């Protein structure tokens, strides 16, 4: 158990809809990272938050947004969903914002019908 | 060309064998090197975390980094059926202001036969 909690484990929805994925980092970790894992693209970095502030962006679509709350949990919002958004979404956390080990949750499997 | 190349396998070995998993990379800016293990329907689990060239050992696992060749390896000794999983190499890529993102290989599927 990595200590990173993600909910829900599985989400099924339709095209055009909006969903929110939730992540609770390990106790004491201030950084949260979101990744997308698909069969054709592998694990891709989306966005990083550190202590409530956005720190870095990767290949995140404009339809996607995230935030980190004062209690350090984070939410990833996906809107105007398309079939191609079907993937596993992982959250990882680390102690600081620098070069430190990232620990992953078990992900949310998003299925778009 | 991908920044990190990893043979997808699958790699099938008998129980007790020594397993060698490898990744090559092209970006000399990568600073830290990691190996993650991912079981089906689970998140990646950090196995090894290294910085400098050389070897790092942890139990049955040895991580090897050769920065001059841009090549990293993970060796698993006395492999067990429970080691059957996908192994992902990952490298930290500096972004800005002391932030880093991980760049992952595509993963190698390992099957250890009893």
């Amino acid at each position: 158990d990595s200590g990173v909690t993600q909910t829900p484990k599985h989400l099924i929805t339709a095209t055009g809809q909006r969903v929110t994925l939730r992540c609770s980092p390990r106790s004491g970790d201030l950084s949260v990272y979101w990744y997308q894992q698909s069969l054709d693209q592998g694990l891709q970095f989306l966005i990083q938050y550190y202590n409530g502030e956005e720190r870095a962006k990767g290949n995140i679509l404009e339809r996607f947004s995230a935030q980190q709350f004062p209690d350090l949990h984070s939410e990833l919002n996906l809107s105007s969903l398309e079939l191609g958004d079907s993937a596993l979404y992982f959250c990882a956390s680390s102690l600081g914002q620098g070069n430190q080990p990232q620990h992953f949750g078990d992900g949310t499997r998003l299925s778009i019908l | 060309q991908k920044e990190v190349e990893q043979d997808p396998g699958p790699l099938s070995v008998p129980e007790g064998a020594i397993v060698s998993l490898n990744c090559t990379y092209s970006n000399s800016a990568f600073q830290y090197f990691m190996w993650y293990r991912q079981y089906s329907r689970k998140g990646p689990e950090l196995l090894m975390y290294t910085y400098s060239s050389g070897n790092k050992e942890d139990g049955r696992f040895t991580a090897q980094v050769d920065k001059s060749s841009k090549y990293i390896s993970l060796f698993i000794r006395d492999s067990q059926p429970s080691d059957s999983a996908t192994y992902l190499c990952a490298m930290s890529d500096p972004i800005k202001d002391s932030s880093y993102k991980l760049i992952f290989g595509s993963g190698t599927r390992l099957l250890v036969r009893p």
Side-chain angles (χ1 to χ4, degrees):
Chain A
D1 183 3
S2 68
V4 178
T5 303
Q6 288 189 249
T7 57
K9 291 190 186 307
H10 199 171
L11 205 47
I12 303 173
T13 188
T15 56
Q17 295 298 304
R18 172 189 169 96
V19 296
T20 297
L21 314 183
R22 183 187 168 102
C23 169
S24 294
R26 292 190 321 163
S27 178
D29 284 358
L30 298 178
S31 270
V32 168
Y33 308 78
W34 287 97
Y35 291 83
Q36 180 191 60
Q37 187 176 41
S38 60
L39 282 175
D40 55 342
Q41 295 289 323
L43 260 170
Q44 299 278 319
F45 168 73
L46 296 178
I47 197 165
Q48 178 204 0
Y49 277 81
Y50 172 75
N51 204 19
E53 293 188 6
E54 181 186 304
R55 283 299 187 187
K57 272 187 171 181
N59 302 323
I60 188 166
L61 299 171
E62 284 191 12
R63 300 183 284 109
F64 296 1
S65 65
Q67 53 184 326
Q68 187 179 28
F69 295 87
D71 67 352
L72 300 177
H73 91 270
S74 178
E75 293 181 354
L76 180 67
N77 301 295
L78 315 176
S79 61
S80 303
L81 287 168
E82 302 175 0
L83 292 176
D85 297 328
S86 295
L88 271 165
Y89 291 85
F90 287 104
C91 166
S93 72
S94 69
L95 189 60
Q97 65 169 339
N99 228 333
Q100 294 171 350
Q102 294 182 25
H103 299 271
F104 283 74
D106 282 339
T108 293
R109 181 176 296 275
L110 178 62
S111 301
I112 313 297
L113 303 180
Chain B
Q1 184 186 5
K2 292 183 179 180
E3 287 188 283
V4 179
E5 297 282 353
Q6 184 175 9
D7 188 334
L11 179 62
S12 180
V13 301
E15 183 175 353
I18 296 175
V19 175
S20 172
L21 304 166
N22 311 293
C23 287
T24 59
Y25 63 97
S26 56
N27 190 343
S28 57
F30 291 158
Q31 297 191 359
Y32 285 77
F33 305 88
M34 286 137 277
W35 286 95
Y36 285 85
R37 177 175 63 194
Q38 187 174 19
Y39 291 114
S40 179
R41 300 189 179 279
K42 294 293 233 179
E45 172 194 1
L46 182 64
L47 288 177
M48 301 292 283
Y49 181 81
T50 58
Y51 173 72
S52 56
S53 285
N55 294 351
K56 180 178 180 179
E57 191 173 317
D58 184 0
R60 296 185 296 113
F61 299 93
T62 299
Q64 193 173 78
V65 174
D66 183 347
K67 286 188 174 181
S68 62
S69 301
K70 297 190 178 69
Y71 188 88
I72 70 170
S73 300
L74 178 71
F75 299 95
I76 307 175
R77 289 182 298 282
D78 187 26
S79 56
Q80 303 295 308
S82 58
D83 294 328
S84 298
T86 297
Y87 289 79
L88 299 148
C89 62
M91 307 182 185
S92 69
D93 184 14
I95 311 171
K96 63 171 186 175
D97 300 334
S98 302
S99 287
Y100 297 81
K101 63 178 180 180
L102 295 184
I103 305 292
F104 282 87
S106 55
T108 299
R109 274 186 54 210
L110 172 66
L111 174 63
V112 182
R113 309 185 305 272

